[in-house]
Amino acid sequence: MDWARFAQQMASMARELLSEDTIGTTLEHITGSAIQQVEGCDAAGILVLHGTQVQSLAPTHQLVTDSDRLQEQLHEGPCFDAARTKAGEHVFRISDVTREQSRWPSFAPEAQKLGIGSMMGFLLYTEDEDLGALNIYSRRPGAFTEASELAGWLLASHAAVAFSTARTHAQMEHAVATRHIIGEAMGILMGSHDLTEQQAFDVLRRYSQENNIKLRDVARQICEHGSLT
């Protein structure tokens, strides 16, 4: 492993990740970097858990999606465990899926059928939130070395910060857009019904509560149709 070259790649990747426009492109950059920077890596993806439901993000190959779906069905696997771990281990691995796996006895033989030889799952986390797992696959058993694992862990650490930053930015943009559309809807109600700002907002909020519709969707309806009917 050429660690000097790896350090240069990581520094370049960190700058590029923070310049990405969307969460999607950020995650695609992360998984693409895994293939380039982790020795033995043939495919990569990010698995996010919503309860016990799995969401596959930025998979580089169908193999990744198939593995995520399998782990969801079985409720076991290195990536599944990595994504739901909040303490203790942050790296989970199967060095050789052809060998019996006491920890994931149902997953390993099915993973072999998918063409997986070895795999690693790294928790993507920051100090205040868990984000999912970065998952790295090889079609060859025993493909990953200690250097591969260290490289994967370093990549996951950088990726977690970029992922969190991108998500926060997207949430802020969404909040600004929501506030804008609510303000526009209030303006329409104020002009058409001679209401004060507070009265217009009360109309939106009351309609939202009585009809179990999100406030921004009520506002969007007014902006599109000029009224609530």
Side-chain angles (χ1 to χ4, degrees):
M1 184 73 178
D2 185 344
W3 289 110
R5 181 171 176 272
F6 178 82
Q8 292 176 341
Q9 291 176 328
M10 291 291 288
S12 176
M13 185 197 74
R15 291 191 295 270
E16 291 169 357
L17 282 175
L18 294 177
S19 69
E20 296 289 3
D21 295 329
T22 67
I23 292 179
T25 54
T26 297
L27 300 186
E28 289 171 1
H29 198 135
I30 291 169
T31 55
S33 295
I35 294 177
Q36 296 175 358
Q37 298 180 27
V38 179
E39 291 182 353
C41 179
D42 294 322
I46 292 171
L47 180 153
V48 175
L49 277 180
H50 304 283
T52 57
Q53 292 187 327
V54 166
Q55 182 180 13
S56 297
L57 302 176
T60 61
H61 297 77
Q62 184 62 38
L63 171 69
V64 177
T65 304
D66 292 342
S67 174
D68 288 349
R69 188 177 298 114
L70 178 60
Q71 292 180 79
E72 178 183 41
Q73 292 170 352
L74 300 175
H75 288 184
E76 70 172 60
C79 310
F80 188 86
D81 283 0
R84 64 179 180 174
T85 297
K86 295 185 178 181
E89 291 180 78
H90 295 309
V91 182
F92 296 80
R93 66 194 70 74
I94 296 180
S95 299
D96 185 346
V97 300
T98 64
R99 297 178 180 176
E100 184 177 349
Q101 302 292 325
S102 59
R103 189 166 189 172
W104 303 291
S106 298
F107 173 75
E110 296 300 319
Q112 187 178 354
K113 294 177 184 177
L114 294 177
I116 297 171
S118 47
M119 59 188 292
M120 298 186 290
F122 300 87
L123 177 66
L124 283 178
Y125 71 99
T126 58
E127 291 184 356
D128 60 345
E129 60 183 338
D130 297 308
L131 302 170
L134 171 65
N135 308 310
I136 295 174
Y137 296 86
S138 176
R139 297 186 180 279
R140 294 182 294 108
F144 299 124
T145 63
E146 289 185 5
S148 300
E149 184 171 319
L150 178 57
W153 181 80
L154 290 170
L155 176 61
S157 299
H158 277 68
V161 175
F163 188 1
S164 180
T165 300
R167 190 165 66 175
T168 299
H169 181 67
Q171 290 169 342
M172 291 178 62
E173 286 188 333
H174 179 73
V176 169
T178 297
R179 186 163 59 246
H180 175 77
I181 198 169
I182 289 174
E184 186 177 343
M186 288 171 57
I188 292 172
L189 289 176
M190 292 166 64
S192 60
H193 297 285
D194 193 26
L195 301 176
T196 65
E197 183 175 323
Q198 184 60 52
Q199 288 172 331
F201 182 75
D202 288 342
V203 169
L204 289 174
R205 183 179 57 186
R206 185 166 56 252
Y207 189 92
S208 170
Q209 294 172 344
E210 291 175 351
N211 294 275
N212 195 28
I213 302 173
K214 291 181 179 180
L215 190 64
R216 68 171 180 270
D217 293 333
V218 175
R220 185 176 294 109
Q221 180 180 336
I222 293 175
C223 293
E224 292 176 353
H225 303 289
S227 68
L228 288 170
T229 57

